[in-house]
Amino acid sequence: MIDSALVDDVREIIATDPAGFGERVDAEARRLEADVREGIFDNPQAIVGLEYELYGVDRETAALRRVPRWLLRFIGFGKEMGLHNAEMNTSPQPLNAYGLAAQHREVQARLAAARERTRTEGIDLVSDGMWTTPPTGESARRYLTDTVDREGITVSTNVSDDVRYQAMSNAPYPAGMELDAPHVDLSAETVGLESLITSIQPHYQVPHAPDLPEYFRYAIRVAGPLLALGVNSPFFPPELYADDADPDAVLADGRMEHRIGVFESVMNPPDDADVPPKVRFPRDVESVAECIDRIAADPPIVPDELADRGRFDDRYRHLQYKHGSYWRWVRPVFDAPTKAAANARIEFRPLPAQPTVRDSVAFLAAFAGLMESLPRRDHPVGTLSWERARENFYAAVRDGLDAELTWIDSNGEPTTDRSRLYDELLAAVRDGLETRGLDEATIDRYLEPLSARLEHGTTPAAWKRRRVADRLADGASLADAIAGTQRRYVDHQRETLLEGSFADWLA
């Protein structure tokens, strides 16, 4: 049943005057720039955090399950777009041995408690880049596109009853609302298609806010190599493939990380629209003011008039609200719940959700270590052209670890040698973590999941593709091959999510 209050709220929000909203955003952007210059967003040390998205499945069948809203509140998780989603945000911690350990333990503690409670409802929480098995008795196509119309407002029945999510589908902003991938072509009336995907998002808080552009430059240049290690979304739900799609062609033409294309094709305007894409690989910035100006200038998707909540960051509330739809694969964040807690950080968004907690924390540690080391050492990879960094990123989307990536080595020479690239990348991670007080054994423990992927030449996406290929070779249909592989993924994860790593799957 659709709540009439939700419909009224959606109608009210999409009627917001965009010009007045824009004026407030511009004034708040100037205020934020002044506060950054004043030093309010500076901090004595680097801080790290992690956003962690999961989805629910049936414990018996591994089919997608909606997670009741009351259950989300009970386990202390937040809403994401889909009714099947659950999101956890860790408490920010200093980047040192204790802080990283606290990040790891917090995810384990909260996820263990949540899994214990959801299991009583017959639900497992799964960490994965894209779901492929719809709820029992439902089709993936219908689940993703089902809507009801209430007095001219289109409500997606399987999207959270969050006003902003539902308003995105009714706003004038021309989101594409389609899936565009090899052998997949699906349009919808809402942005609910985006609920196919889940991610992890490491955060790194810079000590001195005016230095953010330098960190940002390096974050852009490691995006391709880190994504290549983390790919985990090689398949769609089988029924979304064209009826005449050849299974071998699906394997040959598919991307290792479809999550990137899903977000871009669902949320970006069509190519013929006179509106720039919102989801894209970001360009370099020269100053913090330029970072802020880009957020302020980004086309709004759902303007809103926000009330004062009595918090310090109310001085930027419309700008921060707009930042929520400033979708870049690497993006700056300016957060200030209090004046003392004000910070400038980088949110690293390319990574899909990973097979285990340990793998997820490995990426957090790796990203943080790189942000500590590369700018401080003035590593030559910072001179890699933006165009080449972008090509690296989309090459990783297509081919994962098999992508040809260009790196500038410590001698200032370009190289496409994978061993050389990752030897230097992991050496930089080690250097950065050592400067934060971690000893060699601790660093080894954090990096072991990533080193194992390099040693075996296998990412989670490659693991899935090989098992689908094996099942096809044994005579299975594409649908059965993908479903069987997904059940095996969930079974492995039940044993390793909290304490093991993806490396255990490769033994």
Side-chain angles (χ1 to χ4, degrees):
M1 181 176 179
I2 303 302
D3 187 345
S4 60
L6 172 64
V7 174
D8 291 342
D9 288 344
V10 170
R11 182 176 288 107
E12 180 180 352
I13 194 173
I14 63 176
T16 300
D17 173 27
F21 176 79
E23 291 173 0
R24 286 185 285 274
V25 166
D26 289 341
E28 290 169 9
R30 304 289 80 77
R31 186 176 300 124
L32 177 57
E33 290 171 14
D35 287 349
V36 170
R37 288 194 299 271
E38 190 178 323
I40 290 174
F41 285 78
D42 292 347
N43 289 279
Q45 61 184 333
I47 303 288
V48 292
L50 182 67
E51 296 180 55
Y52 201 135
E53 299 170 3
L54 305 106
Y55 62 78
V57 302
D58 186 271
R59 281 188 54 75
E60 297 297 325
T61 66
L64 197 70
R65 280 279 301 271
R66 298 168 180 86
V67 182
R69 304 295 91 177
W70 68 265
L71 183 55
L72 273 185
R73 293 189 293 271
F74 187 83
I75 63 177
F77 279 49
K79 299 177 184 178
E80 250 297 327
M81 179 170 284
L83 293 181
H84 52 274
N85 290 127
E87 182 182 60
M88 174 196 323
N89 293 286
T90 63
S91 307
Q93 298 289 342
L95 177 54
N96 56 36
Y98 303 109
L100 280 175
Q103 290 284 313
H104 193 175
R105 292 305 186 194
E106 180 180 355
V107 175
Q108 287 177 310
R110 295 178 61 188
L111 189 50
R115 291 174 85 207
E116 182 178 355
R117 187 63 185 85
T118 58
R119 283 176 174 176
T120 65
E121 301 297 321
I123 297 172
D124 264 339
L125 293 177
V126 171
S127 178
D128 189 11
M130 182 187 296
W131 60 264
T132 56
T133 306
T136 301
E138 301 182 57
S139 73
R141 188 178 298 269
R142 178 66 181 270
Y143 182 83
L144 289 166
T145 63
D146 192 34
T147 62
V148 296
D149 184 273
R150 290 291 184 270
E151 302 174 15
I153 298 297
T154 301
V155 178
S156 181
T157 57
N158 292 307
V159 165
S160 296
D161 58 351
D162 182 285
V163 175
R164 181 168 164 268
Y165 286 140
Q166 297 289 352
M168 286 179 185
S169 302
N170 293 274
Y173 178 82
M177 296 189 285
E178 64 178 4
L179 300 179
D180 181 12
H183 309 289
V184 173
D185 184 10
L186 176 64
S187 297
E189 296 181 78
T190 76
V191 298
L193 296 175
E194 195 261 331
S195 68
L196 266 171
I197 57 178
T198 47
S199 66
I200 59 167
Q201 295 162 25
H203 287 241
Y204 175 87
Q205 180 178 308
V206 303
H208 186 51
D211 294 336
L212 188 146
E214 179 73 357
Y215 291 89
F216 195 74
R217 179 163 61 97
Y218 281 103
I220 287 172
R221 282 150 183 83
V222 301
L226 287 179
L227 177 59
L229 270 175
V231 289
N232 193 21
S233 308
F235 295 110
F236 287 87
E239 73 176 78
L240 299 188
Y241 291 106
D243 291 339
D244 60 352
D246 178 74
D248 291 333
V250 169
L251 277 175
D253 301 336
R255 300 160 188 156
M256 284 294 198
E257 190 48 56
H258 280 294
R259 174 181 160 266
I260 301 297
V262 167
F263 199 23
E264 291 185 348
S265 64
V266 172
M267 301 309 309
N268 284 341
D271 292 339
D272 58 358
D274 189 24
V275 180
K278 293 179 70 64
V279 187
R280 62 181 188 263
F281 192 75
R283 288 194 171 272
D284 295 321
V285 292
E286 298 300 321
S287 66
V288 170
E290 186 178 357
C291 288
I292 297 169
D293 289 345
R294 284 189 185 178
I295 299 168
D298 198 55
I301 186 167
V302 186
D304 195 11
E305 175 63 44
L306 304 175
D308 190 315
R309 301 162 298 173
R311 289 167 43 126
F312 178 78
D313 58 355
D314 282 330
R315 58 204 283 120
Y316 330 110
R317 61 186 180 275
H318 296 91
L319 179 67
Q320 288 185 323
Y321 172 83
K322 188 176 185 182
H323 178 272
S325 64
Y326 179 72
W327 293 309
R328 305 300 189 266
W329 291 117
V330 183
R331 70 177 180 180
V333 179
F334 300 91
D335 193 21
T338 66
K339 187 173 183 179
N343 66 87
R345 63 182 188 267
I346 295 174
E347 180 183 359
F348 192 73
R349 298 172 57 83
L351 296 170
Q354 296 296 304
T356 75
V357 170
R358 190 173 170 200
D359 288 275
S360 301
V361 175
F363 277 106
L364 172 61
F367 180 63
L370 290 169
M371 292 299 93
E372 280 293 306
S373 177
L374 297 178
R376 181 170 51 83
R377 299 290 188 188
D378 195 22
H379 193 286
V381 75
T383 66
L384 183 71
S385 72
W386 177 85
E387 291 78 10
R388 184 62 249 189
R390 184 181 185 276
E391 290 169 8
N392 281 350
F393 182 74
Y394 288 102
V397 168
R398 290 189 305 272
D399 300 320
L401 270 184
D402 290 331
E404 182 175 290
L405 307 179
T406 300
W407 182 261
I408 307 296
D409 68 20
S410 56
N411 297 318
E413 297 295 326
T415 180
T416 57
D417 181 84
R418 188 175 78 180
S419 296
R420 177 68 172 155
L421 186 164
Y422 284 105
D423 283 349
E424 286 214 353
L425 185 140
L426 293 183
V429 173
R430 289 180 176 279
D431 176 65
L433 296 179
E434 285 173 358
T435 64
R436 304 306 303 178
L438 278 72
D439 60 39
E440 184 177 351
T442 301
I443 295 171
D444 286 344
R445 188 166 62 252
Y446 280 120
L447 295 188
E448 192 275 336
L450 307 186
S451 299
R453 296 184 186 196
L454 292 168
E455 178 183 348
H456 290 272
T458 303
T459 59
W463 182 92
K464 291 176 179 177
R465 284 173 60 90
R466 289 173 189 170
R467 274 139 194 85
V468 167
D470 288 345
R471 290 173 184 271
L472 291 173
D474 289 339
S477 67
L478 179 63
D480 287 344
I482 293 176
T485 296
Q486 185 65 14
R487 283 194 297 271
R488 190 170 178 184
Y489 181 98
V490 172
D491 287 343
H492 275 306
Q493 191 171 94
R494 283 176 179 151
E495 302 299 321
T496 58
L497 178 59
L498 294 178
E499 296 289 349
S501 80
F502 177 64
D504 299 328
W505 304 17
L506 305 177

